[in-house]
Amino acid sequence: MRRREFNLLLGLAAASPWLLSATGALAASSLRVGRYKGDLSYSFEAAGVSLPYPVSYYVGGAPITEALASQQLDLAGMSEIPPVFALPANTTYKLVGVMKMPPATQVILVPEKSSLEQLADLRGKRIGYVRATTSHFFLLQVLKEQGLSWQDVQAINLTTQDGLSAFQSGELDAWFIYGVFVQFAKFRLGARVLKDSAGYLSGNYPYGMTNAAWTDPVRRQAVRAYLDALRETLAWVGANPQQWAELNGKLTNVPAAYYLDQLDEQGQLGRLQRPDHTSIQSQQQVADALFAAGAIPRQVDVSPLWDLDFLA
């Protein structure tokens, strides 16, 4: 949604009694959105994006997907993996949109002077990863490809921050990691990339919406407007990468050059789109692979999670 369309929405709210009352009803509580530091929503103001209702953001505490599942949120972004771990018990939200990112956004890092040169060398090594995330799935896929099992490596579940500390102190031989932590390790520690995630990850990052919000006409409209705001902000980042990097740098106390390097490597932050049957197929392949690897206790069907028509 372009800026003029947001202005039009505001105009419609003034002209339409229903939309005006709906906006007012939402204003009484606000749309509850999960985000992390450096999320696109932090750039709304710089991008000239506005919304006709208040938004309350959830940061920290329990993982965002857990907060969504427990109805503390209305909307949150995630990777394909967390919903699979939550099934079949959790069906408290619908996946209504997909942020399509380049598949090579994650890497396997090794220390600068590491003797590791190929993936087969991972046997017996201390490997850091983040459980129930894309790095977990990436690791499982690499092990399967190399004919290795979980027992053939020393896999260590660490938060991203703890993983950086362990990598820096020499406690890890390899680290499956994502985001600006890659730049931290490369620029500050001299880490090198053993392999990126192209061919292992789909690049699909769904947006989940609670069933309560999904059945509420007011919140449905609010979520659509919010996703459109993300689209407009993505376009702004593409046209203003330096400004975006500086904004994120100040927000996270990370050099802007790290964000620019991340953007240069990816080519783009991503594009937000309506999900389709390939989105379901992609996540189902993830679920089947996780079950085959013993990471989840039973096979699950992911299709009930998805609403392919929400953004029609």
Side-chain angles (χ1 to χ4, degrees):
M1 184 180 289
R2 301 294 181 188
R3 189 177 297 106
R4 62 178 178 275
E5 292 176 287
F6 276 96
N7 292 334
L8 177 60
L9 180 58
L10 289 171
L12 286 172
S16 166
W18 179 86
L19 190 53
L20 182 60
S21 62
T23 304
L26 186 60
S29 56
S30 77
L31 186 72
R32 302 169 302 164
V33 179
R35 70 173 176 184
Y36 54 89
K37 226 169 196 181
D39 182 90
L40 269 174
S41 59
Y42 285 96
S43 297
F44 279 177
E45 184 177 353
V49 170
S50 60
L51 289 165
Y53 52 80
V55 178
S56 59
Y57 288 104
Y58 174 95
V59 182
I64 282 177
T65 49
E66 290 183 18
L68 185 71
S70 61
Q71 308 292 301
Q72 297 177 57
L73 300 176
D74 298 311
L75 178 71
M78 64 196 76
S79 74
E80 295 174 303
I81 286 79
V84 172
F85 277 86
L87 286 171
N90 174 42
T91 53
T92 58
Y93 56 83
K94 293 286 187 182
L95 302 179
V96 297
V98 173
M99 182 71 78
K100 188 70 176 179
M101 298 177 65
T105 55
Q106 304 195 25
V107 298
I108 309 169
L109 291 178
V110 297
E112 184 178 16
K113 297 181 181 179
S114 171
S115 61
L116 295 178
E117 296 294 340
Q118 54 190 3
L119 296 178
D121 296 335
L122 292 173
R123 181 188 291 271
K125 296 300 186 289
R126 300 166 301 174
I127 301 173
Y129 76 104
V130 186
R131 186 185 180 278
T133 68
T134 42
S135 75
H136 189 172
F137 183 68
F138 185 15
L139 172 56
L140 287 171
Q141 292 294 85
V142 166
L143 293 178
K144 178 182 177 182
E145 178 189 69
Q146 298 302 311
L148 300 174
S149 72
W150 198 253
Q151 288 68 41
D152 290 324
V153 298
Q154 299 177 52
I156 306 169
N157 173 29
L158 297 165
T159 66
T160 50
Q161 192 61 55
D162 288 344
L164 180 62
S165 298
F167 189 83
Q168 183 172 10
S169 63
E171 297 173 48
L172 297 178
D173 300 306
W175 188 24
F176 283 65
I177 193 55
Y178 45 80
V180 78
F181 289 93
V182 176
Q183 279 67 32
F184 259 104
K186 283 170 51 181
F187 295 145
R188 295 194 179 181
L189 308 178
R192 60 182 174 85
V193 175
L194 180 65
K195 186 76 172 177
D196 66 39
S197 56
Y200 299 95
L201 300 178
S202 67
N204 289 351
Y205 291 82
Y207 273 87
M209 176 183 181
T210 59
N211 289 345
W214 186 73
T215 56
D216 178 354
V218 174
R219 294 187 184 278
R220 286 174 70 89
Q221 290 296 95
V223 167
R224 287 192 184 98
Y226 190 88
L227 295 179
D228 279 335
L230 292 176
R231 283 198 191 97
E232 183 173 3
T233 305
L234 282 169
W236 174 83
V237 172
N240 302 274
Q242 183 69 43
Q243 190 177 346
W244 167 78
E246 291 174 359
L247 178 66
N248 264 16
K250 290 177 182 177
L251 179 69
T252 60
N253 199 28
V254 171
Y258 288 16
Y259 286 104
L260 285 174
D261 182 75
Q262 183 184 43
L263 190 57
D264 286 343
E265 288 190 349
Q266 293 181 195
Q268 62 172 352
L269 286 187
R271 64 182 187 277
L272 203 151
Q273 60 191 42
R274 174 187 176 187
D276 56 24
H277 288 288
T278 63
S279 306
I280 299 177
Q281 292 167 5
S282 174
Q283 192 183 40
Q284 188 62 56
Q285 289 170 1
V286 168
D288 294 344
L290 289 172
F291 172 70
I296 56 175
R298 59 179 68 85
Q299 282 189 304
V300 295
D301 176 12
V302 304
S303 58
L305 282 172
W306 291 85
D307 180 351
L308 304 186
D309 298 319
F310 182 77
L311 292 179

